[in-house]
Amino acid sequence: MPTGHDVIHGYLRTLDSSPGVYRMLNAKAEVLYVGKARNLKARVSNYARPSPQHSGRITRMILETASMMFLTTRTETEALLLEQNLIKQLKPRYNVLLRDDKSFPNILIGKEHPYPQIKKHRGKRSEKGSYFGPFASAGAVNRTLNQLQKVFLLRNCSDSMFESRTRPCLLFQIKRCSAPCVGRVTPDQYAAQVQDAERFLEGKSTEVQAQLAAQMAEASEAMEFERAAALRDRIRALTQVQSAQGINPRGVAEADVIALHLEGGQACVQVFFIRANQSWGNRDFYPRTGSGAEESEILEAFVTQFYDDKEPPRLILLSHPVENEDLVTALLAERAGRKVELAVPQRGEKAELVENAARNAKESLARRMAEGAAQSRLLAGLAEAFDLDAPPRRIEIYDNAHIQGADAVGGMVVAGPDGFVKGQYRKFNIKGEAGKQGDDFGMMKEVLTRRFERLLKDDPDRKTDAWPDLLLIDGGAGQVSAVGEILAGLGVDDVPYIGVAKGIDRDAGKEEFHRPGEPPFALQRNDPVLYFVQRLRDEAHRWANGAHRAKRSKAVGATPLDDIPGIGAKRKRALLAHFGSAKAVARAGLSDLTAVEGISEAMARTIHDHFNER
């Protein structure tokens, strides 16, 4: 099949100067590259003839191209948006790809309750309230929440717990909450605390501190020394919060600082979040560089993909210029519904922020490369110890967690050349009888059946990296035999699997390894590969146990009201507050149910019929 410049040249006759998106495919019809163009004919003509300006990456891509596909758009902005959607969907080899599937947490001060709750929030902003963020990590949010509770004494308990309190909880005793649940603070006083917290998170900490100082002076003059001491403690806590925020730029109220370091064909991008003149943490990313893209192309791809599902701030500070800056700016402004500025500062405080982010990117990439080298040695050792054909690039480790069959959960963790791949972790709620009976073999069968049936459905030709090169199962010969039956039944005969049993005395370091049709064997106690396998097994154990605890905790707080269509958190609170318990709701008549605020006659009938049918 012909490939290269001549194939690309053949498409020029049918192209015009419209904007759009093009795809370059190899002889196997696999997408090599997705690109956008202001003028499709002009862009494709650049690939149609050899040029010394082409990098080695572009030259390799052209030589592999056997066909092309085109989509025209009305504007170049639409082409950019379509290009990024196709890149995320198709993951072409020569495109820069941001491998990130996590949202960023925010702080939410709810507005659906007379005494608003302050809490961490992640995901869609569907709940009514004031959102502050994003923060770089859950740890950054938790630290800020911890300090804010010391200063503003806002509650963090759930609404159901709030309604059920008859006396203050421990947080009141340690001066982290003003106990609105039992009336230790009036609604107006609590509203003032909420307003102060919002002003602080908006960057008006100086005003808040001055106001608290004035209140302390007034309390002292009125000889209300206990209140004055409490205000003094809050001022001290506020000072501590301000000093613990890290880099606090005076001249930058709201910005994301994005810096790139490129070395040895690998890239690290550091993102610092500046909100309300405070640093709310940073996160590092390691985008795939498309076999050797330049800084400007990597940053453009990163920025457009990063803000695909996140609202961009008003200012984005960059370490390098991006390609098509006007186009990227227009796209971000369209997503935000307001003006967004991209800048590459050269001096002053903004340049110092970018320099700091770039230094962090360089150091993070150096650590990652060193860890990657060590990880590669461990994977090579693993292949040798377990007689694999090659070092595995994707290891899946499975474990189950339950208490006598209750709340059974299966867990899968993933590891590879870059360490643990937490975005690929999965939880499986055990649905079959095996979970109820506490049958570990049956639970493992259910988990692996569901996992590989999905793989066979989504990627039967194994074109993606979702297929594992090695399975590690927590268990011995029985579990290994069960896994063999499952894979054979699904027609998967080329994925190696190994059972990791505790061994003699169930002692760490005495693990036995089980392979199908072979006697168990062990590794030397000081073998680095043994420590590596222990880490993999322990991570799977931690993940499965965490999923089990979360499921058990949710089950503890569940009530029969959760099963009724149309009963959400608000109506559930109203019913429990009115009747006292779910059992009392079940006994209530239609007239009693309609007396509850928010319960219509139709909803009362639904509730009544639900319990009567039962």
Side-chain angles (χ1 to χ4, degrees):
M1 189 173 185
T3 60
H5 298 285
D6 293 339
V7 170
I8 296 173
H9 190 275
Y11 289 97
L12 291 177
R13 296 190 302 271
T14 59
L15 292 175
D16 57 23
S17 58
S18 300
V21 172
Y22 58 93
R23 279 176 274 184
M24 307 175 84
L25 297 85
N26 63 12
K28 296 180 181 179
E30 298 170 339
V31 179
L32 299 171
Y33 183 78
V34 175
K36 65 181 179 305
R38 180 179 283 114
N39 183 323
L40 278 173
K41 187 168 187 175
R43 175 59 61 84
V44 174
S45 67
N46 290 334
Y47 298 125
R49 57 184 180 275
S51 171
Q53 295 181 348
H54 288 162
S55 65
R57 164 178 169 257
I58 299 299
T59 301
R60 292 192 302 273
M61 182 179 71
I62 291 172
L63 293 176
E64 290 184 48
T65 300
S67 62
M68 296 186 71
M69 296 176 65
F70 304 93
L71 285 168
T72 60
T73 59
R74 292 179 300 173
T75 65
E76 194 180 2
T77 302
E78 287 183 8
L80 176 59
L81 184 59
L82 178 59
E83 176 201 38
Q84 296 307 324
N85 289 338
L86 288 173
I87 289 172
K88 292 181 71 174
Q89 176 186 345
L90 301 172
K91 300 179 174 59
R93 185 194 317 164
Y94 287 98
N95 279 100
V96 176
L97 179 66
L98 171 61
R99 293 173 286 193
D100 174 46
D101 58 355
K102 290 187 176 180
S103 60
F104 291 92
N106 292 267
I107 286 177
L108 167 63
I109 299 179
K111 294 297 175 67
E112 295 183 350
H113 195 278
Y115 293 98
Q117 172 194 15
I118 186 169
K119 62 181 180 180
K120 177 174 62 182
H121 177 86
R122 194 190 292 268
K124 188 177 180 181
R125 298 185 175 189
S126 56
E127 189 173 341
K128 185 179 179 182
S130 300
Y131 293 84
F132 302 92
F135 287 79
S137 65
V141 170
N142 292 337
R143 286 192 297 272
T144 303
L145 284 174
N146 184 43
Q147 297 296 338
L148 288 175
Q149 281 183 268
K150 293 180 182 178
V151 179
F152 302 109
L153 309 179
L154 302 185
R155 71 177 183 95
N156 67 353
C157 58
S158 66
D159 290 346
S160 58
M161 181 177 287
F162 180 93
E163 301 293 347
S164 65
R165 295 300 304 182
T166 57
R167 59 181 181 177
C169 67
L170 179 62
L171 289 177
F172 174 76
Q173 309 297 336
I174 63 174
K175 300 180 181 179
R176 298 288 182 87
C177 180
S178 53
C181 54
V182 292
R184 295 297 180 93
V185 60
T186 67
D188 290 342
Q189 290 171 335
Y190 192 83
Q193 292 169 200
V194 170
Q195 186 178 27
D196 286 345
E198 290 179 336
R199 287 164 61 201
F200 172 79
L201 289 168
E202 291 168 355
K204 301 173 182 177
S205 56
T206 305
E207 296 178 14
V208 174
Q209 196 161 7
Q211 183 177 347
L212 291 175
Q215 292 175 5
M216 182 180 69
E218 290 176 6
S220 181
E221 289 178 6
M223 292 190 292
E224 298 176 0
F225 299 119
E226 187 173 342
R227 178 166 167 261
L231 288 165
R232 177 203 62 201
D233 293 341
R234 290 174 63 186
I235 292 170
R236 286 178 179 172
L238 181 57
T239 304
Q240 184 180 357
V241 173
Q242 292 168 310
S243 62
Q245 289 294 334
I247 302 169
N248 295 325
R250 295 182 179 179
V252 181
E254 176 188 332
D256 285 350
V257 184
I258 302 177
L260 165 69
H261 182 74
L262 188 60
E263 183 178 336
Q266 298 187 51
C268 176
V269 177
Q270 280 278 346
V271 182
F272 279 74
F273 301 97
I274 307 296
R275 298 293 185 274
N277 296 96
Q278 303 166 13
S279 175
W280 284 358
N282 63 297
R283 175 85 67 86
D284 50 359
F285 299 88
Y286 300 91
R288 193 185 70 189
T289 59
S291 301
E294 300 295 327
E295 285 95 340
S296 57
E297 183 180 353
I298 293 173
L299 264 188
E300 178 185 307
F302 178 87
V303 168
T304 51
Q305 293 177 39
F306 182 72
Y307 293 110
D308 178 51
D309 56 354
K310 305 173 184 70
E311 182 177 338
R314 300 180 185 278
L315 175 63
I316 301 174
L317 302 176
L318 302 173
S319 59
H320 300 79
V322 299
E323 292 183 350
N324 309 299
E325 180 181 337
D326 56 340
L327 187 60
V328 174
T329 302
L331 177 64
L332 296 180
E334 183 178 315
R335 285 176 176 168
R338 51 172 165 70
K339 183 180 178 182
V340 175
E341 179 186 356
L342 297 180
V344 184
Q346 302 299 317
R347 56 184 176 273
E349 186 179 40
K350 294 177 181 177
E352 291 177 5
L353 291 172
V354 173
E355 182 182 347
N356 176 65
R359 184 176 63 254
N360 277 269
K362 181 178 181 179
E363 293 170 354
S364 296
L365 184 59
R367 287 193 297 270
R368 182 182 176 88
M369 293 173 74
E371 291 167 0
Q375 187 80 355
S376 297
R377 290 193 295 270
L378 288 171
L379 292 173
L382 190 68
E384 182 180 353
F386 294 159
D387 196 24
L388 305 177
D389 295 334
R393 295 194 60 79
R394 181 184 174 97
I395 307 170
E396 293 184 356
I397 310 98
Y398 292 87
D399 194 10
N400 298 323
H402 63 95
I403 296 178
Q404 297 181 341
D407 304 316
V409 175
M412 178 191 86
V413 305
V414 180
D418 296 328
F420 290 112
V421 189
K422 296 192 175 183
Q424 297 290 319
Y425 287 14
R426 294 293 180 266
K427 303 171 186 174
F428 300 85
N429 288 319
I430 305 298
K431 301 175 182 178
E433 289 298 317
K436 299 176 183 177
Q437 297 169 1
D439 178 5
D440 283 328
F441 292 170
M443 284 188 269
M444 187 60 64
K445 281 186 177 181
E446 179 179 334
V447 169
L448 286 172
T449 300
R450 287 164 58 186
R451 167 64 179 153
F452 279 89
E453 283 181 346
R454 172 56 67 89
L455 274 177
L456 289 167
K457 178 183 177 183
D458 293 347
D459 186 22
D461 299 325
R462 307 194 187 190
K463 292 183 178 181
T464 69
D465 56 4
W467 279 83
D469 302 310
L470 175 65
L471 304 182
L472 290 182
I473 311 298
D474 184 43
Q479 277 85 353
V480 168
S481 176
V483 172
E485 291 178 13
I486 296 160
L487 297 182
L490 294 171
V492 179
D493 57 3
D494 58 348
V495 177
Y497 50 94
I498 295 170
V500 185
K502 292 288 194 304
I504 302 172
D505 301 327
R506 301 181 64 82
D507 190 12
K510 298 181 181 180
E511 284 82 0
E512 288 184 345
F513 300 97
H514 296 258
R515 289 186 294 191
E518 297 184 16
F521 67 98
L523 299 174
Q524 294 292 328
R525 288 182 68 95
N526 60 351
D527 192 331
V529 174
L530 177 59
Y531 297 141
F532 180 48
V533 173
Q534 289 172 352
R535 282 173 49 212
L536 298 177
R537 180 200 59 198
D538 292 345
E539 176 68 0
H541 194 60
R542 180 199 67 80
W543 176 249
N545 281 346
H548 169 66
R549 282 194 300 270
K551 186 176 181 181
R552 190 173 72 239
S553 175
K554 186 176 181 181
V556 168
T559 74
L561 300 177
D562 296 323
D563 300 329
I564 304 175
I567 297 296
K570 192 171 182 179
R571 282 174 172 161
K572 180 180 172 182
R573 283 197 307 270
L575 288 166
L576 291 175
H578 186 87
F579 292 104
S581 69
K583 187 177 291 186
V585 176
R587 294 196 300 262
L590 286 172
S591 59
D592 295 325
L593 290 169
T594 54
V596 180
E597 183 180 357
I599 303 299
S600 63
E601 290 186 11
M603 180 54 64
R605 172 63 63 184
T606 299
I607 298 169
H608 188 268
D609 290 349
H610 175 83
F611 288 111
N612 281 347
E613 287 173 6
R614 286 194 162 192

